[in-house]
Amino acid sequence: MKHVFITSAGKFLPNNPISNEEMEDYLGKINNKPSRAKDRILKQNGIINRFYAMDKNQKSTHSNAQMAANAIKNALDKSNLRSKEVQLLCTGTTQADLPVPGFASMVHALLDIPRCEVASFQSVCASGIMGLKDAYTQIKSNEKENAVCVGSEFASRLFKSSRFEAQDIKSLPFDAEFLRWMLSDGAGAFVLQDKPNTQGISLKIDWVDLKSHANEFPVCMYTGQVDNKSENQTTWLDYSNYEEASKIGALNLKQDTRLLDHVIKAGVAHYFELIDQQKIKKNNINWLCCHYSSEVFKDPIKELMKKGGGEIEDEKWFSNLSSKGNTGAASIFIILEELLYSGKLKIGDTILCMVPESGRFITSFMQLTVVGGDTQNKSTYSIRAVEPPELIIKESETSEWLTRNLAQVWIDFETSLLKVPIIEKIHAGNLSISDYKLLLMDLRQQVIDGSQWITRASSNIDIELFELRS
């Protein structure tokens, strides 16, 4: 079995951060009335800023697949892995842009990644961890050498005021309104490889453990049916038409908040199981990255951990919920991306990730170990200004025309050169030994071929422009 490493992380948060005061400017006031529950819910969840992939006219600025693709591109830009070398693409999301085909196929279509294996995971918050575990196990078992994995969410478009007004309701039920002030948009991605970075740190994946508790509890967070009272009720596909399903509220995303206490208890119980299995040694944990949807859930989690002798000190908890919002399946990716590049990690640190899901109760944990060098010591190189070399020849109408055109050719060439991935890596200080060897491959032959073209071009210049020919 191989070791598996997260060698880079990327994120994409659409548009500008949105404050609590601005939320209704984007989501809209239902029947032109401000929400009564908004302030109370926001006070409890502790979120100060979040991001929406739509404007104040409730028009989408990005698709879910575009956000996922942008996060992957951001991760690959920081990696020594080229997009054309990617062997596996795993995606996780709550709701894709299209019911069919799979989300991974739609994301793949937006990337410069050749034919590869894809895997789409659809759940709620745990779908990102599901995709990550698939990538992890395939690399660990030597099925693949690398993979990219992304979690992405576009929740805001489910909460447009126009959707609820079309249902002809006077006020929004709390199980739907609650989520309206809880969820936000964004994507996060990891590059996974069977070798760590030669420069900078990597996160070695020690293990991933995920369990469903669906056999124990009713559905908690859902869309596609009117309520969660019965297992055999009509779903959105069973209505005579889509308009009927929408008008009755079957397409609203809802959460039964009365059940949320159970997901906390299930998550902590799973934590204690991992301690008993000696997978987790609490005294060795340096960082706890816990995805929780609201600050109100943090204290109950800590209290239960303490009662079972598994308390982790408050200074070891790392979260960006207040500044990035609750991005569901993308949250753990966005949390780890910030921690990875924060400069806070030291070689040998152990990171425990906890991702509970309230859909029908899934609990998941992952342990990482920091390996590699010091990211703070890498060299970067400034980009010089793009300008053509000075060309001095006898002035004439022909020579001036030629000089102008050659200058533009040179500027276009230099500008394009700066966008070549390997050149970008040189400027960013991310060039690896393997990149350098690739750069040197056939370099001598390229110089020989290039010089022949230059000689042939100069031999066609007339004697009147001899200085230019020289």
Side-chain angles (χ1 to χ4, degrees):
M1 291 286 189
K2 289 182 175 181
H3 292 306
V4 184
F5 305 89
I6 297 171
T7 54
S8 74
K11 69 175 183 299
F12 181 77
L13 298 168
N15 306 314
N16 297 318
I18 295 167
S19 67
N20 293 345
E21 293 71 28
E22 298 174 285
M23 291 179 75
E24 277 189 307
D25 295 337
Y26 288 84
L27 300 179
K29 296 177 182 178
I30 300 172
N31 297 321
N32 207 31
K33 295 179 181 178
S35 167
R36 293 182 178 180
K38 171 191 164 189
D39 291 341
R40 176 164 58 94
I41 295 169
L42 289 171
K43 184 178 180 180
Q44 289 182 332
N45 67 32
I47 301 172
I48 299 171
N49 288 307
R50 78 279 297 141
F51 296 81
Y52 289 152
M54 65 180 186
D55 60 25
K56 291 183 178 181
N57 295 317
Q58 300 186 350
K59 300 293 184 184
S60 299
T61 58
H62 304 78
S63 69
N64 198 358
Q66 285 173 333
M67 289 193 288
N70 287 336
I72 291 171
K73 290 173 185 175
N74 185 240
L76 286 171
D77 286 344
K78 303 172 188 174
S79 170
N80 60 17
L81 183 70
R82 297 185 300 160
S83 59
K84 295 191 181 298
E85 298 171 333
V86 173
Q87 298 174 355
L88 171 64
L89 167 63
C90 297
T91 65
T93 190
T94 301
Q95 191 163 31
D97 302 302
L98 303 177
V100 178
F103 188 56
S105 297
M106 301 304 293
V107 175
H108 185 204
L110 299 174
L111 295 167
D112 185 27
I113 293 176
R115 295 176 184 172
C116 69
E117 183 177 337
V118 298
S120 302
F121 291 86
Q122 186 276 321
S123 192
V124 190
C125 303
S127 59
I129 290 289
M130 293 174 185
L132 188 60
K133 181 155 190 182
D134 182 39
Y136 162 71
T137 52
Q138 288 215 42
I139 296 172
K140 191 168 185 64
S141 63
N142 208 23
E143 180 75 17
K144 300 285 189 297
E145 294 177 349
N146 64 68
V148 291
C149 184
V150 64
S152 185
E153 299 286 18
F154 191 171
S156 64
R157 60 184 169 186
L158 298 174
F159 301 122
K160 298 176 184 179
S161 59
S162 56
R163 293 188 183 278
F164 301 115
E165 288 170 349
Q167 297 170 25
D168 194 26
I169 54 176
K170 292 182 179 180
S171 62
L172 193 61
F174 185 77
D175 59 359
E177 174 143 29
F178 176 74
L179 291 175
R180 203 168 185 240
W181 314 115
M182 296 288 287
L183 302 179
S184 51
D185 308 335
F190 294 153
V191 173
L192 279 67
Q193 295 177 270
D194 58 1
K195 296 180 180 62
N197 289 317
T198 54
Q199 289 182 316
I201 61 173
S202 304
L203 303 178
K204 177 178 169 287
I205 302 177
D206 298 325
W207 48 262
V208 184
D209 200 288
L210 186 147
K211 284 185 172 60
S212 167
H213 306 262
N215 61 317
E216 304 167 31
F217 301 101
V219 64
C220 177
M221 182 176 173
Y222 59 96
T223 188
Q225 60 187 33
V226 175
D227 56 48
N228 61 343
K229 302 295 186 287
S230 169
E231 296 294 331
N232 300 314
Q233 65 176 288
T234 303
T235 73
W236 69 286
L237 289 171
D238 298 316
Y239 288 91
S240 58
N241 55 63
Y242 297 128
E243 289 77 11
E244 182 186 357
S246 176
K247 199 169 186 62
I248 204 170
L251 299 184
N252 293 348
L253 183 63
K254 312 177 190 72
Q255 184 155 54
D256 188 340
T257 56
R258 295 167 297 182
L259 296 172
L260 290 176
D261 186 51
H262 294 296
V263 75
I264 295 172
K265 293 175 181 177
V268 176
H270 189 178
Y271 171 69
F272 289 146
E273 287 177 19
L274 294 171
I275 290 177
D276 291 341
Q277 295 168 15
Q278 298 189 351
K279 279 189 170 183
I280 293 176
K281 295 181 173 62
K282 77 175 186 70
N283 293 331
N284 295 342
I285 301 299
N286 302 102
W287 298 94
L288 173 61
C289 293
C290 182
H291 162 61
Y292 44 84
S293 60
S294 171
E295 288 290 345
V296 77
F297 298 130
K298 183 177 178 180
D299 285 341
I301 294 171
K302 289 172 61 179
E303 184 64 27
L304 287 172
M305 284 180 166
K306 184 177 180 179
K307 286 180 178 178
E311 183 182 15
I312 295 178
E313 295 86 345
D314 197 57
E315 60 269 18
K316 295 181 178 181
W317 288 60
F318 186 87
S319 171
N320 53 18
L321 175 68
S322 63
S323 60
K324 303 300 189 298
N326 174 13
T327 50
S331 288
I332 195 63
F333 294 84
I334 294 171
I335 291 170
L336 280 171
E337 189 273 344
E338 185 169 324
L339 180 59
L340 179 60
Y341 300 113
S342 67
K344 296 179 179 181
L345 297 178
K346 301 187 296 294
I347 306 302
D349 278 359
T350 298
I351 304 168
L352 180 65
C353 302
M354 178 180 180
V355 183
E357 175 187 304
S358 61
R360 190 145 189 173
F361 295 174
I362 295 172
T363 57
S364 57
F365 289 83
M366 173 172 65
Q367 183 173 290
L368 309 167
T369 301
V370 181
V371 299
D374 185 358
T375 54
Q376 304 305 311
N377 291 333
K378 71 178 184 181
S379 299
T380 59
Y381 304 90
S382 59
I383 301 174
R384 60 181 172 80
V386 175
E387 56 186 21
E390 187 178 9
L391 190 61
I392 303 174
I393 56 176
K394 289 179 182 178
E395 290 187 7
S396 71
E397 188 176 333
T398 303
S399 64
E400 289 173 353
W401 175 86
L402 190 58
T403 301
R404 290 195 303 272
N405 280 273
L406 283 173
Q408 189 57 53
V409 168
W410 185 266
I411 290 171
D412 291 345
F413 165 70
E414 285 270 274
T415 304
S416 299
L417 190 66
L418 292 174
K419 297 178 181 178
V420 174
I422 202 162
I423 303 299
E424 288 181 333
K425 288 184 178 183
I426 292 172
H427 287 301
N430 292 332
L431 193 75
S432 66
I433 296 295
S434 60
D435 288 327
Y436 184 62
K437 289 179 178 178
L438 183 65
L439 184 63
L440 295 181
M441 189 179 296
D442 294 328
L443 182 61
R444 181 175 180 274
Q445 190 61 44
Q446 291 177 47
V447 172
I448 293 171
D449 292 345
S451 65
Q452 290 173 348
W453 281 105
I454 293 168
T455 304
R456 183 172 179 181
S458 63
S459 68
N460 283 279
I461 296 177
D462 290 339
I463 193 67
E464 288 83 2
L465 298 171
F466 187 77
E467 294 128 312
L468 176 61
R469 175 173 172 165
S470 299

mmCIF file of all heavy atoms in Angstrom, residues 432-468:
data_model
loop_
_atom_site.group_PDB
_atom_site.id
_atom_site.type_symbol
_atom_site.label_atom_id
_atom_site.label_comp_id
_atom_site.label_asym_id
_atom_site.label_seq_id
_atom_site.Cartn_x
_atom_site.Cartn_y
_atom_site.Cartn_z
ATOM 1 N N SER A 432 9.538 22.202 -9.655
ATOM 2 C CA SER A 432 10.112 20.993 -9.061
ATOM 3 C C SER A 432 11.228 20.460 -9.952
ATOM 4 O O SER A 432 11.412 20.903 -11.089
ATOM 5 C CB SER A 432 9.026 19.920 -8.901
ATOM 6 O OG SER A 432 8.574 19.496 -10.180
ATOM 7 N N ILE A 433 11.962 19.491 -9.430
ATOM 8 C CA ILE A 433 13.032 18.848 -10.207
ATOM 9 C C ILE A 433 12.457 18.207 -11.464
ATOM 10 O O ILE A 433 13.034 18.301 -12.557
ATOM 11 C CB ILE A 433 13.764 17.793 -9.348
ATOM 12 C CG1 ILE A 433 14.466 18.460 -8.157
ATOM 13 C CG2 ILE A 433 14.775 17.020 -10.189
ATOM 14 C CD1 ILE A 433 15.582 19.409 -8.547
ATOM 15 N N SER A 434 11.311 17.549 -11.330
ATOM 16 C CA SER A 434 10.699 16.903 -12.493
ATOM 17 C C SER A 434 10.275 17.930 -13.536
ATOM 18 O O SER A 434 10.379 17.685 -14.740
ATOM 19 C CB SER A 434 9.500 16.047 -12.059
ATOM 20 O OG SER A 434 8.529 16.839 -11.420
ATOM 21 N N ASP A 435 9.789 19.105 -13.082
ATOM 22 C CA ASP A 435 9.454 20.183 -14.026
ATOM 23 C C ASP A 435 10.703 20.630 -14.784
ATOM 24 O O ASP A 435 10.660 20.857 -15.996
ATOM 25 C CB ASP A 435 8.867 21.384 -13.278
ATOM 26 C CG ASP A 435 7.465 21.125 -12.758
ATOM 27 O OD1 ASP A 435 6.728 20.386 -13.422
ATOM 28 O OD2 ASP A 435 7.116 21.665 -11.705
ATOM 29 N N TYR A 436 11.809 20.778 -14.050
ATOM 30 C CA TYR A 436 13.047 21.263 -14.663
ATOM 31 C C TYR A 436 13.570 20.269 -15.696
ATOM 32 O O TYR A 436 14.003 20.643 -16.790
ATOM 33 C CB TYR A 436 14.092 21.512 -13.582
ATOM 34 C CG TYR A 436 15.392 22.101 -14.104
ATOM 35 C CD1 TYR A 436 15.402 23.347 -14.733
ATOM 36 C CD2 TYR A 436 16.594 21.420 -13.975
ATOM 37 C CE1 TYR A 436 16.584 23.889 -15.222
ATOM 38 C CE2 TYR A 436 17.771 21.953 -14.463
ATOM 39 C CZ TYR A 436 17.763 23.192 -15.077
ATOM 40 O OH TYR A 436 18.924 23.723 -15.556
ATOM 41 N N LYS A 437 13.488 18.982 -15.374
ATOM 42 C CA LYS A 437 13.909 17.953 -16.336
ATOM 43 C C LYS A 437 13.033 17.988 -17.579
ATOM 44 O O LYS A 437 13.526 17.812 -18.706
ATOM 45 C CB LYS A 437 13.854 16.569 -15.675
ATOM 46 C CG LYS A 437 14.930 16.337 -14.623
ATOM 47 C CD LYS A 437 14.774 14.953 -13.997
ATOM 48 C CE LYS A 437 15.875 14.688 -12.965
ATOM 49 N NZ LYS A 437 15.699 13.360 -12.333
ATOM 50 N N LEU A 438 11.747 18.215 -17.385
ATOM 51 C CA LEU A 438 10.825 18.315 -18.515
ATOM 52 C C LEU A 438 11.183 19.508 -19.400
ATOM 53 O O LEU A 438 11.129 19.438 -20.630
ATOM 54 C CB LEU A 438 9.391 18.437 -17.999
ATOM 55 C CG LEU A 438 8.274 18.490 -19.045
ATOM 56 C CD1 LEU A 438 8.199 17.175 -19.822
ATOM 57 C CD2 LEU A 438 6.939 18.786 -18.376
ATOM 58 N N LEU A 439 11.571 20.606 -18.766
ATOM 59 C CA LEU A 439 11.950 21.816 -19.499
ATOM 60 C C LEU A 439 13.193 21.577 -20.354
ATOM 61 O O LEU A 439 13.303 22.085 -21.473
ATOM 62 C CB LEU A 439 12.201 22.960 -18.510
ATOM 63 C CG LEU A 439 12.512 24.339 -19.088
ATOM 64 C CD1 LEU A 439 11.325 24.862 -19.887
ATOM 65 C CD2 LEU A 439 12.856 25.311 -17.971
ATOM 66 N N LEU A 440 14.111 20.783 -19.822
ATOM 67 C CA LEU A 440 15.370 20.524 -20.539
ATOM 68 C C LEU A 440 15.231 19.495 -21.654
ATOM 69 O O LEU A 440 16.097 19.398 -22.522
ATOM 70 C CB LEU A 440 16.441 20.036 -19.554
ATOM 71 C CG LEU A 440 16.892 21.044 -18.484
ATOM 72 C CD1 LEU A 440 17.967 20.413 -17.613
ATOM 73 C CD2 LEU A 440 17.419 22.320 -19.115
ATOM 74 N N MET A 441 14.130 18.728 -21.635
ATOM 75 C CA MET A 441 13.959 17.672 -22.621
ATOM 76 C C MET A 441 13.940 18.250 -24.045
ATOM 77 O O MET A 441 13.154 19.147 -24.344
ATOM 78 C CB MET A 441 12.656 16.906 -22.350
ATOM 79 C CG MET A 441 12.487 15.640 -23.190
ATOM 80 S SD MET A 441 10.930 14.791 -22.790
ATOM 81 C CE MET A 441 11.225 14.334 -21.093
ATOM 82 N N ASP A 442 14.832 17.770 -24.914
ATOM 83 C CA ASP A 442 14.920 18.200 -26.322
ATOM 84 C C ASP A 442 15.237 19.688 -26.469
ATOM 85 O O ASP A 442 14.998 20.272 -27.534
ATOM 86 C CB ASP A 442 13.615 17.891 -27.086
ATOM 87 C CG ASP A 442 13.366 16.389 -27.206
ATOM 88 O OD1 ASP A 442 14.364 15.655 -27.278
ATOM 89 O OD2 ASP A 442 12.202 15.981 -27.230
ATOM 90 N N LEU A 443 15.764 20.314 -25.406
ATOM 91 C CA LEU A 443 16.034 21.747 -25.484
ATOM 92 C C LEU A 443 17.064 22.057 -26.570
ATOM 93 O O LEU A 443 16.905 23.012 -27.345
ATOM 94 C CB LEU A 443 16.513 22.268 -24.121
ATOM 95 C CG LEU A 443 16.799 23.765 -24.044
ATOM 96 C CD1 LEU A 443 15.541 24.569 -24.333
ATOM 97 C CD2 LEU A 443 17.335 24.145 -22.665
ATOM 98 N N ARG A 444 18.132 21.244 -26.690
ATOM 99 C CA ARG A 444 19.175 21.497 -27.685
ATOM 100 C C ARG A 444 18.595 21.429 -29.097
ATOM 101 O O ARG A 444 18.901 22.276 -29.946
ATOM 102 C CB ARG A 444 20.317 20.480 -27.514
ATOM 103 C CG ARG A 444 21.467 20.682 -28.500
ATOM 104 C CD ARG A 444 22.609 19.723 -28.179
ATOM 105 N NE ARG A 444 23.703 19.922 -29.110
ATOM 106 C CZ ARG A 444 23.797 19.332 -30.301
ATOM 107 N NH1 ARG A 444 22.824 18.511 -30.700
ATOM 108 N NH2 ARG A 444 24.822 19.555 -31.096
ATOM 109 N N GLN A 445 17.746 20.431 -29.332
ATOM 110 C CA GLN A 445 17.152 20.295 -30.658
ATOM 111 C C GLN A 445 16.237 21.470 -30.977
ATOM 112 O O GLN A 445 16.179 21.937 -32.117
ATOM 113 C CB GLN A 445 16.363 18.987 -30.750
ATOM 114 C CG GLN A 445 15.898 18.637 -32.167
ATOM 115 C CD GLN A 445 17.063 18.458 -33.126
ATOM 116 O OE1 GLN A 445 18.061 17.822 -32.784
ATOM 117 N NE2 GLN A 445 16.975 19.040 -34.310
ATOM 118 N N GLN A 446 15.542 21.978 -29.949
ATOM 119 C CA GLN A 446 14.684 23.150 -30.165
ATOM 120 C C GLN A 446 15.517 24.364 -30.575
ATOM 121 O O GLN A 446 15.103 25.143 -31.441
ATOM 122 C CB GLN A 446 13.903 23.461 -28.890
ATOM 123 C CG GLN A 446 12.838 22.432 -28.552
ATOM 124 C CD GLN A 446 12.147 22.746 -27.239
ATOM 125 O OE1 GLN A 446 11.748 23.876 -27.006
ATOM 126 N NE2 GLN A 446 12.024 21.745 -26.385
ATOM 127 N N VAL A 447 16.683 24.519 -29.953
ATOM 128 C CA VAL A 447 17.561 25.647 -30.300
ATOM 129 C C VAL A 447 18.064 25.504 -31.737
ATOM 130 O O VAL A 447 18.091 26.474 -32.508
ATOM 131 C CB VAL A 447 18.748 25.733 -29.314
ATOM 132 C CG1 VAL A 447 19.756 26.784 -29.788
ATOM 133 C CG2 VAL A 447 18.243 26.058 -27.918
ATOM 134 N N ILE A 448 18.444 24.287 -32.109
ATOM 135 C CA ILE A 448 18.925 24.044 -33.479
ATOM 136 C C ILE A 448 17.830 24.350 -34.496
ATOM 137 O O ILE A 448 18.045 25.063 -35.484
ATOM 138 C CB ILE A 448 19.409 22.585 -33.626
ATOM 139 C CG1 ILE A 448 20.672 22.356 -32.784
ATOM 140 C CG2 ILE A 448 19.669 22.239 -35.095
ATOM 141 C CD1 ILE A 448 21.100 20.905 -32.697
ATOM 142 N N ASP A 449 16.601 23.814 -34.241
ATOM 143 C CA ASP A 449 15.488 24.054 -35.161
ATOM 144 C C ASP A 449 15.153 25.537 -35.243
ATOM 145 O O ASP A 449 14.894 26.088 -36.321
ATOM 146 C CB ASP A 449 14.252 23.263 -34.716
ATOM 147 C CG ASP A 449 14.437 21.759 -34.867
ATOM 148 O OD1 ASP A 449 15.388 21.362 -35.563
ATOM 149 O OD2 ASP A 449 13.646 20.996 -34.279
ATOM 150 N N GLY A 450 15.155 26.203 -34.097
ATOM 151 C CA GLY A 450 14.831 27.622 -34.057
ATOM 152 C C GLY A 450 15.851 28.460 -34.817
ATOM 153 O O GLY A 450 15.488 29.392 -35.545
ATOM 154 N N SER A 451 17.120 28.131 -34.669
ATOM 155 C CA SER A 451 18.167 28.904 -35.344
ATOM 156 C C SER A 451 18.060 28.763 -36.864
ATOM 157 O O SER A 451 18.359 29.707 -37.603
ATOM 158 C CB SER A 451 19.547 28.456 -34.865
ATOM 159 O OG SER A 451 19.794 27.109 -35.245
ATOM 160 N N GLN A 452 17.618 27.616 -37.329
ATOM 161 C CA GLN A 452 17.448 27.426 -38.777
ATOM 162 C C GLN A 452 16.339 28.333 -39.321
ATOM 163 O O GLN A 452 16.473 28.919 -40.400
ATOM 164 C CB GLN A 452 17.134 25.957 -39.073
ATOM 165 C CG GLN A 452 18.324 25.025 -38.831
ATOM 166 C CD GLN A 452 17.963 23.564 -38.959
ATOM 167 O OE1 GLN A 452 16.793 23.207 -39.014
ATOM 168 N NE2 GLN A 452 18.974 22.708 -39.019
ATOM 169 N N TRP A 453 15.255 28.459 -38.549
ATOM 170 C CA TRP A 453 14.171 29.358 -38.975
ATOM 171 C C TRP A 453 14.641 30.809 -38.985
ATOM 172 O O TRP A 453 14.315 31.578 -39.881
ATOM 173 C CB TRP A 453 12.963 29.201 -38.043
ATOM 174 C CG TRP A 453 12.138 27.994 -38.325
ATOM 175 C CD1 TRP A 453 12.095 26.835 -37.617
ATOM 176 C CD2 TRP A 453 11.249 27.806 -39.431
ATOM 177 N NE1 TRP A 453 11.246 25.929 -38.198
ATOM 178 C CE2 TRP A 453 10.695 26.511 -39.321
ATOM 179 C CE3 TRP A 453 10.867 28.601 -40.519
ATOM 180 C CZ2 TRP A 453 9.780 25.987 -40.230
ATOM 181 C CZ3 TRP A 453 9.955 28.083 -41.433
ATOM 182 C CH2 TRP A 453 9.425 26.797 -41.277
ATOM 183 N N ILE A 454 15.414 31.191 -37.966
ATOM 184 C CA ILE A 454 15.917 32.571 -37.900
ATOM 185 C C ILE A 454 16.838 32.856 -39.087
ATOM 186 O O ILE A 454 16.743 33.911 -39.739
ATOM 187 C CB ILE A 454 16.664 32.789 -36.558
ATOM 188 C CG1 ILE A 454 15.672 32.720 -35.388
ATOM 189 C CG2 ILE A 454 17.385 34.143 -36.547
ATOM 190 C CD1 ILE A 454 16.329 32.624 -34.032
ATOM 191 N N THR A 455 17.726 31.919 -39.391
ATOM 192 C CA THR A 455 18.654 32.092 -40.521
ATOM 193 C C THR A 455 17.897 32.205 -41.833
ATOM 194 O O THR A 455 18.200 33.058 -42.682
ATOM 195 C CB THR A 455 19.627 30.898 -40.581
ATOM 196 O OG1 THR A 455 20.301 30.791 -39.329
ATOM 197 C CG2 THR A 455 20.650 31.085 -41.689
ATOM 198 N N ARG A 456 16.886 31.365 -41.993
ATOM 199 C CA ARG A 456 16.109 31.398 -43.235
ATOM 200 C C ARG A 456 15.370 32.730 -43.381
ATOM 201 O O ARG A 456 15.303 33.303 -44.471
ATOM 202 C CB ARG A 456 15.119 30.234 -43.251
ATOM 203 C CG ARG A 456 14.310 30.149 -44.542
ATOM 204 C CD ARG A 456 13.489 28.873 -44.578
ATOM 205 N NE ARG A 456 12.701 28.802 -45.808
ATOM 206 C CZ ARG A 456 11.873 27.816 -46.113
ATOM 207 N NH1 ARG A 456 11.744 26.800 -45.279
ATOM 208 N NH2 ARG A 456 11.187 27.823 -47.240
ATOM 209 N N ALA A 457 14.818 33.243 -42.266
ATOM 210 C CA ALA A 457 14.099 34.518 -42.318
ATOM 211 C C ALA A 457 15.051 35.667 -42.661
ATOM 212 O O ALA A 457 14.768 36.511 -43.517
ATOM 213 C CB ALA A 457 13.414 34.775 -40.989
ATOM 214 N N SER A 458 16.223 35.695 -41.993
ATOM 215 C CA SER A 458 17.162 36.801 -42.226
ATOM 216 C C SER A 458 17.741 36.768 -43.636
ATOM 217 O O SER A 458 18.082 37.813 -44.205
ATOM 218 C CB SER A 458 18.277 36.765 -41.185
ATOM 219 O OG SER A 458 19.036 35.570 -41.310
ATOM 220 N N SER A 459 17.857 35.581 -44.239
ATOM 221 C CA SER A 459 18.424 35.486 -45.600
ATOM 222 C C SER A 459 17.504 36.097 -46.646
ATOM 223 O O SER A 459 17.930 36.358 -47.768
ATOM 224 C CB SER A 459 18.704 34.015 -45.946
ATOM 225 O OG SER A 459 17.494 33.300 -46.073
ATOM 226 N N ASN A 460 16.244 36.322 -46.272
ATOM 227 C CA ASN A 460 15.290 36.913 -47.210
ATOM 228 C C ASN A 460 15.175 38.430 -47.046
ATOM 229 O O ASN A 460 14.335 39.052 -47.683
ATOM 230 C CB ASN A 460 13.907 36.273 -47.026
ATOM 231 C CG ASN A 460 13.833 34.891 -47.663
ATOM 232 O OD1 ASN A 460 13.643 34.758 -48.869
ATOM 233 N ND2 ASN A 460 14.021 33.865 -46.845
ATOM 234 N N ILE A 461 15.986 39.034 -46.172
ATOM 235 C CA ILE A 461 15.961 40.487 -45.987
ATOM 236 C C ILE A 461 16.887 41.134 -47.008
ATOM 237 O O ILE A 461 18.051 40.741 -47.158
ATOM 238 C CB ILE A 461 16.384 40.847 -44.549
ATOM 239 C CG1 ILE A 461 15.364 40.271 -43.544
ATOM 240 C CG2 ILE A 461 16.497 42.362 -44.380
ATOM 241 C CD1 ILE A 461 15.712 40.510 -42.105
ATOM 242 N N ASP A 462 16.405 42.154 -47.685
ATOM 243 C CA ASP A 462 17.191 42.825 -48.734
ATOM 244 C C ASP A 462 18.384 43.568 -48.149
ATOM 245 O O ASP A 462 18.406 43.928 -46.963
ATOM 246 C CB ASP A 462 16.315 43.810 -49.507
ATOM 247 C CG ASP A 462 15.286 43.081 -50.370
ATOM 248 O OD1 ASP A 462 15.509 41.895 -50.663
ATOM 249 O OD2 ASP A 462 14.258 43.694 -50.715
ATOM 250 N N ILE A 463 19.377 43.859 -49.026
ATOM 251 C CA ILE A 463 20.612 44.509 -48.606
ATOM 252 C C ILE A 463 20.355 45.913 -48.069
ATOM 253 O O ILE A 463 21.110 46.415 -47.235
ATOM 254 C CB ILE A 463 21.635 44.537 -49.792
ATOM 255 C CG1 ILE A 463 23.026 44.914 -49.277
ATOM 256 C CG2 ILE A 463 21.129 45.505 -50.877
ATOM 257 C CD1 ILE A 463 23.627 43.866 -48.386
ATOM 258 N N GLU A 464 19.244 46.538 -48.503
ATOM 259 C CA GLU A 464 18.949 47.886 -48.032
ATOM 260 C C GLU A 464 18.662 47.908 -46.517
ATOM 261 O O GLU A 464 18.775 48.947 -45.855
ATOM 262 C CB GLU A 464 17.727 48.458 -48.758
ATOM 263 C CG GLU A 464 17.985 48.816 -50.223
ATOM 264 C CD GLU A 464 17.868 47.619 -51.134
ATOM 265 O OE1 GLU A 464 17.533 46.505 -50.608
ATOM 266 O OE2 GLU A 464 18.115 47.742 -52.340
ATOM 267 N N LEU A 465 18.268 46.755 -45.953
ATOM 268 C CA LEU A 465 17.997 46.646 -44.517
ATOM 269 C C LEU A 465 19.030 45.732 -43.841
ATOM 270 O O LEU A 465 18.733 44.906 -42.997
ATOM 271 C CB LEU A 465 16.578 46.099 -44.267
ATOM 272 C CG LEU A 465 15.427 46.975 -44.802
ATOM 273 C CD1 LEU A 465 14.100 46.229 -44.701
ATOM 274 C CD2 LEU A 465 15.357 48.267 -44.019
ATOM 275 N N PHE A 466 20.302 45.945 -44.264
ATOM 276 C CA PHE A 466 21.366 45.040 -43.828
ATOM 277 C C PHE A 466 21.542 45.048 -42.299
ATOM 278 O O PHE A 466 21.839 44.014 -41.695
ATOM 279 C CB PHE A 466 22.685 45.417 -44.512
ATOM 280 C CG PHE A 466 23.781 44.434 -44.241
ATOM 281 C CD1 PHE A 466 23.828 43.204 -44.886
ATOM 282 C CD2 PHE A 466 24.775 44.731 -43.295
ATOM 283 C CE1 PHE A 466 24.825 42.283 -44.617
ATOM 284 C CE2 PHE A 466 25.784 43.816 -43.038
ATOM 285 C CZ PHE A 466 25.821 42.596 -43.692
ATOM 286 N N GLU A 467 21.349 46.238 -41.656
ATOM 287 C CA GLU A 467 21.511 46.303 -40.190
ATOM 288 C C GLU A 467 20.483 45.401 -39.476
ATOM 289 O O GLU A 467 20.802 44.739 -38.504
ATOM 290 C CB GLU A 467 21.334 47.736 -39.698
ATOM 291 C CG GLU A 467 22.440 48.672 -40.196
ATOM 292 C CD GLU A 467 21.835 49.888 -40.839
ATOM 293 O OE1 GLU A 467 20.921 49.712 -41.671
ATOM 294 O OE2 GLU A 467 22.257 51.004 -40.516
ATOM 295 N N LEU A 468 19.259 45.410 -40.022
ATOM 296 C CA LEU A 468 18.233 44.559 -39.440
ATOM 297 C C LEU A 468 18.597 43.094 -39.633
ATOM 298 O O LEU A 468 18.455 42.267 -38.724
ATOM 299 C CB LEU A 468 16.874 44.848 -40.082
ATOM 300 C CG LEU A 468 15.701 43.963 -39.640
ATOM 301 C CD1 LEU A 468 15.463 44.125 -38.142
ATOM 302 C CD2 LEU A 468 14.437 44.298 -40.395
#
